[in-house]
Amino acid sequence: MAAKTLVVVESPAKAKTVKKYLGAGYEVLASKGHVKDLPKKLGVDVEHDFTETYEVIDVKAKVLAELKAASKSAQHLLLATDPDREGEAIAWHLSDELARPDLTVRRVEFHEITKKGVELGVAHPRDLDTHLYDAQRARRVLDRIVGYDVSALVWSKLAFGLSAGRVQSVALRLIVDREREVEAFVPEEYWNIGACVLGSNRPPFVARLASADGEKLEVTRGEKAGAVRADLEGATYRVAKVVKREQKRRAPAPYTTSKLQQDATSYLRFTTKRTMQIAQGLYEGIDLGKDGGPVGLITYMRTDSVRVSTDAIDAVRATITELFGASHLPDTPNLYKAKKNAQEAHEAIRPTSMEFPPSVVQKHLKDEQFKLYKLIWERFMASQMAPAVYDQTGVDIEATPRDGGAAHRVYGMRASGRTLKFGGWLEAYGRGVEAPKQLAGEDEVDEPEAGQAAAAAVEVSLEESADATLPELTEGETLALVSPPGVVAEQKFTQPPARYNEGSLVRELEKRGIGRPATYAEIIAKVQARDYVEKLASGAFQPSTLGKFVVDGLVSGQLDFMDPNFTATMEEELDEVERGHVGRVAMLRRFYDRFKQQLDAAKKQKRWAPEPTPTDNKCPECGEPMLKRWSKNGWFLGCTAYPKCKTTQDLGQDGTRTTPLPVKMTDEICHECGKPMVIKAGRYGEFLSCSDYPTCKATRPVPMGIACPKCGGQLIEVRSRKRGGRTFYGCSNYAAAAKCEFKLWQKPVPEPCPSCGAAFLVRGGGKKAPVLACSTEGCGFKKPVVDEPRPDAAAAAG
């Protein structure tokens, strides 16, 4: 019997989970994301209310055909795509393609893929939301217009093929601005000075210099540090004041998208994109071997809300009481204030059921799924637990140098310590183990955690810390200087601001109101997809020269969208469109009219690329001077005799390397004039060039010293000059009369196969577990890479 109701979700995994809960009478299929989008051309009629031209995405034609076929036998269509703007847009496009007069079409939302969540969504269908769809349409049109027109501007001002986007260009500006701060930073010297002292009770502790003669004291020179140290080494010490108080540290709010991405970057080393992919899987369903199907483990993962349902709060409070006792449960549930413009229709990211603690489901999860789920579980547990309580002690000490002192008469020293009195929510992260400070959030501590480090008698650190152990002290008590270490003076230098990594960039975007939960990962992915930034080994972003030129050019064009504040305002306007307070066309027209004026003015600017500059280098081919030039591939030296002489040399990103062009003689013979060929270094690597250049301008790739198994020619490395082009290894006779089309995607190594006798092996297996393998069909030989063979220059030259 044909299904009466067709339910369409976005992913096959989600479809499988939802089908489990709906059972007979429902057919659940997946759209696999968007089915329609704007074409490659502009696709927006600016003059007629910014009307879009949507086309079925080529690879989705088959999916759409299957959905249409299934809808013909259905009486009801439930569009259950993700509960956000993108999901609403997909639902509208599906409705356009599948609707017919006798088919009822409704929209449903699943905020968690559990039996309760699915049944609740199906029980409360709604009409398609015009305002929500208009907000998505407005964002899509804004991105298309800016991307289309500004990319063309960048092409004309820098180099063809470059691109720019509305929000990712602002994110790139943040990265570039931070890099400029790092480059301009001048370290300043300062000194930390402290004394290890002991009272009538142990242990000894460190008091840190704070003031002199009643005024705040900052020591910035070694001479001053020496004088102060001499004073303190001969000083008498007494306790001037002891202040004890109780300090409470409140529990953190449950996760929003940005907070989850930040912590996953900091503690799990996940990229924002990977974090969202893992979270998507946890949301859509994991097969726990229970009741014959998958279970959604977390609520919807794209949210900026900290709201939690009453049922979920009741469940977690019961679990807290069971695991930790009533002492760890607040009298009333903890409530958290949402940030401005948060979408309160969603909940925070939390476990869907307290029946699935991480230890129980671990065996069903991949390692990265377990780590992220554990992070979400512990954060949610902590969010509804009692505050942690500390006993905080602050001690003021007077140090009086003998004979009035050489530098000052009286020094003020400070020491503080903190003892955990009651773990509270910290115990959700492991009994007796302090949770990472960032997990609590920077604004969720009742009082400043000022303090200095404690020290043993022979080890002293003057770094700031709040967890020193102080002995019992009384006001007026005399203290003795403990030597060693006695008085310690540490020279320090101020540090530049840290470059952004994925987590800190998400935090900055959220702080400035740029982007929304559904877009953070996409913004960062697009910034990295271009050659505008480099991700360092530390995970920090460093802009390339190309990235700096793009930002500087766009900023010089005084384009509004490059202003972070303007971009944040645009996000707020999109929110207003979603609420129905602002019309889509009015919002777009207001933006576009000003944008067009600014764009036309920017087009009149001179090129953004730097002008060629003279150097002391001479061209090794013709002897003419060489100029330092720039292209989108970086800095290089180019001969002033161009185009007659096309000699170039890559200078690298910083443009500082100006070593002579290397030239190596080989036994290769020029295929055009018969003279010897030499190896030269160009902008795209080494190549063979005729030694009679410029009379003969013949060139060809350097052979790898491995014969082609198909025709006997030489294998060569073929590097694409196209950005993003893939390197492969082919036969040197491809362009010859033989037209040999032998090709390898893995690098050949001149080591014979011990199994079948093939002349070479290929490198494979990836970076973590590289192997050498035989490429001969049916052989199957493979071995781990120990010392990869490296042919010498002579072999490489043939």
Side-chain angles (χ1 to χ4, degrees):
M1 181 178 177
K4 293 183 178 180
T5 301
L6 173 63
V7 181
V8 183
V9 297
E10 287 190 40
S11 78
K14 188 175 176 181
K16 184 178 179 181
T17 312
V18 171
K19 173 61 179 175
K20 166 190 168 183
Y21 296 124
L22 291 179
Y26 292 88
E27 183 176 7
V28 186
L29 297 177
S31 70
K32 299 180 181 179
H34 283 273
V35 295
K36 298 173 75 172
D37 197 6
L38 297 175
K40 290 184 178 180
K41 58 185 179 182
L42 181 60
V44 178
D45 189 343
V46 174
E47 301 302 324
H48 295 86
D49 293 341
F50 301 92
T51 303
E52 313 96 311
T53 300
Y54 285 106
E55 297 178 350
V56 174
I57 301 170
D58 289 343
V59 296
K60 294 298 179 64
K62 182 178 178 181
V63 173
L64 193 55
E66 292 172 351
L67 293 175
K68 285 182 177 180
S71 69
K72 290 179 180 178
S73 60
Q75 297 175 346
H76 309 285
L77 173 62
L78 297 181
L79 299 171
T81 47
D82 285 351
D84 55 21
R85 288 177 187 168
E86 293 302 317
E88 200 71 17
I90 296 172
W92 274 88
H93 293 162
L94 288 170
S95 177
D96 289 342
E97 293 293 324
L98 304 181
R100 65 175 194 271
D102 59 340
L103 179 67
T104 60
V105 180
R106 302 301 302 279
R107 176 81 162 99
V108 298
E109 294 184 353
F110 300 146
H111 295 275
E112 58 183 69
I113 311 302
T114 60
K115 183 176 179 60
K116 178 182 177 182
V118 171
E119 290 178 347
L120 187 66
V122 172
H124 295 86
R126 61 170 173 82
D127 292 332
L128 289 168
D129 189 329
T130 302
H131 300 314
L132 190 59
Y133 180 39
D134 277 351
Q136 190 276 343
R137 292 173 65 195
R139 175 184 288 279
R140 189 73 182 93
V141 169
L142 282 173
D143 291 344
R144 173 52 64 95
I145 289 174
V146 173
Y148 199 87
D149 289 344
V150 175
S151 291
L153 176 68
V154 177
W155 292 359
S156 66
K157 299 301 180 183
L158 275 178
F160 181 78
L162 299 179
S163 59
R166 183 178 65 89
V167 182
Q168 55 266 34
S169 294
V170 181
L172 178 61
R173 179 179 182 177
L174 295 178
I175 294 171
V176 170
D177 287 349
R178 177 59 56 87
E179 188 67 21
R180 295 266 164 74
E181 292 179 38
V182 172
E183 293 170 347
F185 181 80
V186 178
E188 296 181 359
E189 179 184 8
Y190 70 96
W191 289 76
N192 287 337
I193 301 175
C196 186
V197 293
L198 176 65
S200 57
N201 296 303
R202 287 187 174 274
F205 62 97
V206 169
R208 186 171 176 175
L209 178 66
S211 63
D213 300 329
E215 300 289 334
K216 182 179 179 182
L217 178 62
E218 294 181 350
V219 180
T220 59
R221 294 180 292 107
E223 296 84 353
K224 178 72 171 180
V228 171
R229 180 175 183 174
D231 279 353
L232 292 177
E233 285 177 336
T236 58
Y237 296 82
R238 66 177 288 274
V239 177
K241 186 178 182 181
V242 178
V243 177
K244 292 184 178 181
R245 58 186 172 85
E246 187 178 83
Q247 180 194 46
K248 291 184 178 180
R249 187 176 175 191
R250 291 179 296 161
Y255 275 129
T256 60
T257 300
S258 67
K259 293 296 185 185
L260 179 62
Q261 290 173 337
Q262 291 167 41
D263 280 0
T265 296
S266 298
Y267 305 118
L268 305 180
R269 299 294 183 262
F270 292 168
T271 64
T272 52
K273 182 178 180 180
R274 190 66 189 132
T275 297
M276 297 312 291
Q277 289 172 337
I278 298 168
Q280 183 90 33
L282 294 173
Y283 162 71
E284 291 179 347
I286 300 294
D287 192 342
L288 302 181
K290 183 178 181 180
D291 299 330
V295 177
L297 290 182
I298 65 171
T299 53
Y300 191 56
M301 64 287 161
R302 295 185 179 91
T303 177
D304 53 8
S305 171
V306 291
R307 183 184 67 82
V308 175
S309 69
T310 302
D311 289 347
I313 290 178
D314 291 343
V316 73
R317 283 172 64 87
T319 303
I320 292 168
T321 303
E322 178 184 349
L323 294 179
F324 301 99
S327 61
H328 287 67
L329 192 69
D331 293 336
T332 58
N334 292 333
L335 299 177
Y336 298 92
K337 185 178 179 181
K339 73 179 187 67
K340 181 182 178 182
N341 296 325
Q343 301 295 313
E344 289 293 287
H346 296 309
E347 287 190 58
I349 304 171
R350 61 165 177 84
T352 56
S353 172
M354 302 310 292
E355 295 179 6
F356 303 126
S359 59
V360 171
V361 300
Q362 182 175 9
K363 62 184 178 182
H364 302 289
L365 301 177
K366 297 177 183 177
D367 183 58
E368 57 187 8
Q369 290 177 324
F370 170 72
K371 289 178 179 178
L372 193 66
Y373 182 62
K374 185 171 183 286
L375 203 64
I376 294 169
W377 175 278
E378 292 176 345
R379 178 79 168 214
F380 182 55
M381 286 278 291
S383 72
Q384 286 301 322
M385 293 176 70
V389 182
Y390 296 90
D391 280 336
Q392 182 83 30
T393 302
V395 182
D396 289 345
I397 297 168
E398 288 183 354
T400 306
R402 67 170 63 96
D403 301 327
H408 297 281
R409 291 177 309 217
V410 179
Y411 292 92
M413 314 284 286
R414 286 179 184 163
S416 68
R418 186 177 68 170
T419 303
L420 183 62
K421 183 178 180 180
F422 174 69
W425 67 270
L426 293 174
E427 296 192 28
Y429 295 94
R431 290 184 178 273
V433 179
E434 175 85 27
K437 182 177 179 181
Q438 185 176 333
L439 290 175
E442 297 175 354
D443 57 348
E444 293 162 353
V445 178
D446 284 347
E447 299 177 30
E449 296 185 7
Q452 289 74 38
V458 294
E459 281 189 42
V460 62
S461 172
L462 300 181
E463 294 299 320
E464 292 286 350
S465 174
D467 297 313
T469 301
L470 296 181
E472 282 295 322
L473 297 166
T474 58
E475 294 184 3
E477 180 179 352
T478 300
L479 305 173
L481 186 66
V482 178
S483 184
V487 179
V488 177
E490 296 178 343
Q491 184 186 34
K492 299 287 185 178
F493 292 92
T494 55
Q495 298 297 311
R499 293 184 175 96
Y500 290 114
N501 60 21
E502 291 203 21
S504 60
L505 184 56
V506 167
R507 183 163 59 248
E508 188 68 16
L509 292 173
E510 182 187 37
K511 175 183 174 182
R512 291 174 176 265
I514 299 170
R516 288 295 182 262
T519 63
Y520 295 136
E522 178 189 7
I523 292 168
I524 291 177
K526 286 186 175 180
V527 168
Q528 294 182 78
R530 298 160 182 162
D531 293 336
Y532 297 161
V533 299
E534 177 187 1
K535 194 172 186 180
L536 304 178
S538 64
F541 291 134
Q542 183 176 38
S544 65
T545 302
L546 176 59
K548 291 179 181 178
F549 283 156
V550 169
V551 167
D552 291 346
L554 292 175
V555 171
S556 70
Q558 298 182 332
L559 296 160
D560 279 345
F561 78 91
M562 287 299 292
D563 180 352
N565 294 327
F566 178 84
T567 302
T569 300
M570 292 298 298
E571 297 287 357
E572 293 177 1
E573 290 198 27
L574 288 169
D575 291 342
E576 289 297 292
V577 172
E578 180 175 329
R579 297 185 185 101
H581 298 163
V582 175
R584 180 188 74 93
V585 175
M587 180 260 191
L588 290 173
R589 178 59 62 192
R590 185 165 57 248
F591 166 82
Y592 182 76
D593 289 347
R594 182 171 173 82
F595 169 73
K596 189 67 168 62
Q597 292 178 356
Q598 294 172 343
L599 187 69
D600 290 343
K603 289 178 181 178
K604 298 175 182 177
Q605 289 182 311
K606 66 178 183 179
R607 281 181 57 80
W608 302 340
E611 295 295 326
T613 56
T615 71
D616 295 332
N617 290 56
K618 299 294 183 182
C619 177
E621 299 295 343
C622 68
E624 292 296 319
M626 300 194 81
L627 295 175
K628 180 179 177 181
R629 294 179 176 272
W630 180 86
S631 77
K632 66 178 181 180
N633 295 308
W635 293 98
F636 67 99
L637 292 178
C639 184
T640 53
Y642 180 88
K644 181 179 179 182
C645 177
K646 298 181 180 179
T647 302
T648 61
Q649 179 187 9
D650 190 357
L651 291 179
Q653 181 172 315
D654 61 1
T656 58
R657 183 167 59 83
T658 56
T659 55
L661 286 167
V663 176
K664 301 175 189 178
M665 291 297 298
T666 73
D667 295 330
E668 292 287 319
I669 301 301
C670 178
H671 51 281
E672 292 191 6
C673 70
K675 293 187 178 180
M677 301 195 81
V678 297
I679 295 179
K680 293 183 178 180
R683 298 183 61 206
Y684 301 98
E686 293 185 340
F687 64 97
L688 287 176
S689 174
C690 182
S691 58
D692 196 28
Y693 183 90
T695 302
C696 177
K697 298 182 179 179
T699 63
R700 65 173 187 258
V702 176
M704 304 180 71
I706 302 173
C708 172
K710 187 173 182 180
C711 73
Q714 287 286 324
L715 294 188
I716 58 174
E717 180 178 358
V718 183
R719 298 182 181 180
S720 173
R721 298 192 180 191
K722 182 180 179 181
R723 278 162 46 94
R726 188 176 175 187
T727 295
F728 65 91
Y729 306 88
C731 182
S732 60
N733 285 334
Y734 173 78
K739 288 286 183 182
C740 180
E741 296 183 355
F742 179 81
K743 181 185 295 185
L744 290 168
W745 292 107
Q746 295 173 310
K747 185 177 182 179
V749 176
E751 179 178 335
C753 175
S755 179
C756 70
F760 61 87
L761 300 174
V762 296
R763 182 185 171 97
K767 294 181 179 180
K768 293 185 177 179
V771 297
L772 291 180
C774 184
S775 62
T776 303
E777 186 175 355
C779 176
F781 173 77
K782 184 184 298 183
K783 71 173 184 177
V785 173
V786 180
D787 292 310
E788 185 179 3
R790 293 180 179 271
D792 58 23

